[in-house]
Amino acid sequence: MRGVPFLLFSWFLFGPSLLLAERSTYIVHLDKTFIPKIFATHQNWHSSIIDTIKIEAPTTQNGYHPVPKLLYSYDNVLHGFSVVLSKDEFEALKKSPGFLSAYKDRPVEAHTTHSSKFLDLNPASGLWLASGFGQDVIIGVLDSGVWPESASFRDDGLSEIPKKWKGICKPGTKFNSSLCNRKLIGANYFNKGLLASDSTVKISMNSARDTDGHGTHVASIAAGSFSKGASYFGYAPGTARGMAPRARRAVYKFSFEEGIVTSDLIAAMDQAVADGVDILTISYGWTNIPLYEDSIAIASFGAMMKGVLVSASAGNSGPEMGTLNNGVPWIFTVAACDSDRSFSGTLTLGNGLKITGFSLFPVKTIIKDLRVLYNESISPCDSFDPSSPIPNARRSIIICYSTAIDVEDQMAAISESSFGGAIYISDYPDVLRANFFPNPGVVISTKEGKQVIDYASKSVRPTASISFQETHIDVMPAPVVSSFSSRGPSRSYLRVAKPDIVAPGVLILAAWPSNVSAAVIGVNTFLDSDYRLLSGTSMATPHIAGMRQCLKEHILIGVLRLFDLP
């Protein structure tokens, strides 16, 4: 009987919390034809349904009586709502007239100066000029928000905002309505679902302001204004511009540092269509979700039926087959490819041999005539014993070679050591797509590495120099599908070949928030920049969104014919 008092004590102490923990957010789909004529709006109908399913539940210790909580009403990309319910309330909801289906809210997975030239977009002729550089097209960017002060969001030379626009510039934390202009015509944010998923969550930036960088980067790729003098610490210098530099942009933030949930994403899509966007770009999705629970697929169909094209990322889970996200016919699914641009440093050995290797070390410096050190016992460069320092390490360039150790892990270890530089030997393709380069060095191939090791092993005093901040154009072969880009087929829809198209998605230069670190040197020296290089299908997708004017009619006509729709 000693356990009984403890159980009773546990119930009084934790019972109310356990009761609340049993409540979940559901996304509910309804048949709109069932709406009674007595309701003036769909919101009234949704509220009425919620009122009829209230189940009696014990009042908690602090006097709180849990009841169903309506989060969002949807009516543009799908018809239904998201709501917080207990299991009993959910069972009662399924008996409501017009109920079609429901499923629990779930987390969502997150998936330039040269791209226009690589895509043969000529400012003097062709598709780019014919489309008016996207003149007055409204692109809805669903992501982590925006850094409105970026030069890529200036509205120089743009006409008045199109009259069809119905959206708002919603104020919030460190964001006021005056930050919108004729380029950034709308900014909104959605986090009711996130807050409902965890009562302890405190939103640090409760506004459309971007604290992650992803949304700003994506938005400027799609429709960034012309911005001279852009670069990433000297790499990729030139004039930055989006694919549709004269298009308008509306930002819908549903991705927060504290979390990302489906109900907020649908709310953002629903509002964007209501506001009058022409195209939506989404760089998020799920793998292995059945079609009837794939909210992006369902909502995108509703958007398509209202004339809004949806461009979405294929995902970054390649190169395995069947890893595709967003693989339904009515979404323009975008894979990532390399462009013909590369970034490098030049390694010059003491014997005169020059090797061009990959580098994004973000400091303009020259490593000159340092000793080259090769020691098989430490060449994996995975860790260094601080109690056994290597003599003259600061005046040495160490050769790091291991097929079992990730190059980024080697770089992290070098950052904690005292070496003056490093030569990383690797044939792994994804090494050439990462922007993490915290210490002076270059990445070279195994074939080139053998020459360097041979020189270091046989010379009496092997030395080397490294220069940085080099950008090369017309590198071939290109385009080549990136290894990380997810492959089809879509497991939820095997009948359609996907993805539809590739676009540049490797080390794309685009706008970046000035309060978010763009690079790091060593262990804890963080650098900021107005532009950053990033890789992913997230970067490829807005390229296609920006070219909407050329693509939209052909895509929609094809989809309508596929489904035999008028």
Side-chain angles (χ1 to χ4, degrees):
M1 294 295 290
R2 289 180 61 192
V4 175
F6 176 76
L7 290 173
L8 290 173
F9 172 76
S10 298
W11 166 249
F12 285 117
L13 185 62
F14 301 110
S17 299
L18 292 173
L19 180 65
L20 291 175
E22 292 177 357
R23 306 184 72 78
S24 302
T25 300
Y26 293 87
I27 297 169
V28 181
H29 295 258
L30 300 173
D31 184 343
K32 193 175 180 179
T33 62
F34 277 76
I35 183 170
K37 293 182 180 180
I38 60 171
F39 295 115
T41 66
H42 64 278
Q43 291 98 334
N44 296 144
W45 182 36
H46 298 167
S47 296
S48 175
I49 293 174
I50 300 301
D51 289 339
T52 62
I53 62 170
K54 292 178 180 178
I55 305 295
E56 288 300 321
T59 301
T60 64
Q61 200 171 28
N62 61 5
Y64 176 72
H65 182 79
V67 294
K69 181 181 179 182
L70 182 65
L71 300 179
Y72 297 108
S73 286
Y74 310 122
D75 191 44
N76 294 287
V77 294
L78 58 85
H79 192 85
F81 53 80
S82 52
V83 61
V84 179
L85 300 171
S86 68
K87 291 182 179 179
D88 290 339
E89 289 163 347
F90 177 61
E91 291 302 317
L93 171 67
K94 291 195 290 186
K95 300 173 185 177
S96 302
F99 176 86
L100 291 175
S101 65
Y103 44 87
K104 285 186 178 182
D105 203 2
R106 60 167 60 91
V108 186
E109 301 167 11
H111 289 180
T112 142
T113 57
H114 181 64
S115 295
S116 56
K117 183 178 179 181
F118 177 64
L119 295 172
D120 281 336
L121 295 177
N122 190 328
S125 63
L127 287 175
W128 217 13
L129 181 64
S131 69
F133 304 99
Q135 180 75 38
D136 287 344
V137 172
I138 301 175
I139 300 176
V141 181
L142 283 75
D143 216 290
S144 64
V146 66
W147 190 258
E149 293 85 358
S150 171
S152 291
F153 304 144
R154 290 198 303 250
D155 62 357
D156 301 353
L158 290 179
S159 59
E160 293 301 314
I161 297 172
K163 293 182 179 180
K164 68 175 182 177
W165 175 244
K166 303 181 183 69
I168 63 172
C169 192
K170 186 177 179 179
T173 307
K174 296 183 180 180
F175 196 104
N176 59 62
S177 299
S178 65
L179 292 171
C180 289
N181 55 23
R182 289 173 296 183
K183 163 62 77 173
L184 180 63
I185 63 174
N188 210 332
Y189 56 98
F190 305 84
N191 53 33
K192 292 180 182 178
L194 174 59
L195 292 171
S197 68
D198 184 350
S199 60
T200 65
V201 167
K202 303 295 182 184
I203 304 296
S204 59
M205 189 61 71
N206 196 32
S207 71
R209 182 170 289 280
D210 187 7
T211 58
D212 174 83
H214 192 273
T216 299
H217 201 270
V218 165
S220 64
I221 294 172
S225 301
F226 291 91
S227 181
K228 295 182 180 180
S231 77
Y232 173 77
F233 302 103
Y235 297 95
T239 298
R241 82 276 280 177
M243 293 297 97
R246 298 189 67 81
R248 316 306 176 113
R249 190 167 23 203
V251 170
Y252 299 85
K253 178 179 176 180
F254 71 94
S255 174
F256 291 79
E257 289 185 11
E258 293 78 10
I260 317 169
V261 296
T262 303
S263 54
D264 293 333
L265 169 55
I266 301 174
M269 293 182 71
D270 199 69
Q271 188 61 57
V273 172
D275 288 345
V277 302
D278 296 303
I279 186 168
L280 290 172
T281 178
I282 307 172
S283 294
Y284 294 77
W286 305 272
T287 304
N288 299 332
I289 294 295
L291 183 58
Y292 55 85
E293 290 189 6
D294 189 334
S295 297
I296 293 179
I298 297 168
S300 295
F301 188 87
M304 180 270 297
M305 292 299 292
K306 294 195 175 184
V308 177
L309 175 65
V310 178
S311 173
S313 53
N316 301 327
S317 301
E320 290 78 13
M321 302 293 288
T323 54
L324 189 74
N325 293 188
N326 303 314
V328 291
W330 49 89
I331 292 178
F332 209 49
T333 313
V334 187
C337 69
D338 295 272
S339 70
D340 63 345
R341 180 175 66 182
S342 67
F343 307 108
S344 64
T346 296
L347 171 66
T348 304
L349 301 181
N351 62 5
L353 177 65
K354 290 182 179 290
I355 298 174
T356 298
F358 171 72
S359 184
L360 278 176
F361 182 62
V363 176
K364 188 175 183 179
T365 186
I366 297 177
I367 305 299
K368 189 170 180 63
D369 294 333
L370 298 190
R371 177 186 64 155
V372 178
L373 175 63
Y374 178 67
N375 184 321
E376 286 191 46
S377 64
I378 62 173
S379 66
C381 295
D382 55 342
S383 63
F384 297 96
D385 185 357
S387 64
S388 302
I390 297 172
N392 297 317
R394 290 189 181 279
R395 297 292 302 166
S396 300
I397 299 174
I398 187 171
I399 297 175
C400 298
Y401 182 35
S402 173
T403 57
I405 307 298
D406 187 273
V407 170
E408 287 199 7
D409 292 337
Q410 292 177 328
M411 289 181 180
I414 292 294
S415 293
E416 296 179 354
S417 73
S418 56
F419 286 104
I423 300 168
Y424 304 98
I425 301 173
S426 176
D427 290 327
Y428 187 54
D430 281 356
V431 174
L432 310 181
R433 298 171 181 123
N435 63 0
F436 177 73
F437 221 108
N439 41 67
V442 289
V443 179
I444 62 176
S445 69
T446 300
K447 181 179 178 181
E448 295 163 332
K450 289 179 180 178
Q451 299 178 67
V452 176
I453 291 174
D454 184 66
Y455 166 71
S457 302
K458 296 179 180 179
S459 298
V460 175
R461 188 182 181 278
T463 63
S465 302
I466 309 174
S467 59
F468 302 98
Q469 294 185 333
E470 299 172 5
T471 300
H472 301 275
I473 306 297
D474 297 328
V475 178
M476 292 296 160
V480 176
V481 178
S482 305
S483 61
F484 63 77
S485 189
S486 293
R487 269 61 169 175
S490 170
R491 294 185 180 182
S492 64
Y493 206 95
L494 298 173
R495 294 174 56 193
V496 176
K498 289 277 181 172
D500 298 292
I501 197 169
V502 296
V506 175
L507 294 177
I508 303 301
L509 185 80
W512 193 251
S514 60
N515 70 333
V516 180
S517 172
V520 61
I521 299 176
V523 177
N524 56 10
T525 302
F526 298 95
L527 307 178
D528 63 3
S529 173
D530 292 332
Y531 293 87
R532 192 181 185 189
L533 295 164
L534 289 182
S535 299
T537 53
S538 290
M539 284 63 251
T541 302
H543 280 84
I544 301 305
M547 297 180 68
R548 169 262 183 195
Q549 198 76 343
C550 308
L551 298 169
K552 181 186 176 186
E553 286 189 15
H554 300 291
I555 297 169
L556 290 179
I557 289 172
V559 171
L560 292 173
R561 286 177 178 170
L562 177 66
F563 288 93
D564 196 26
L565 297 170

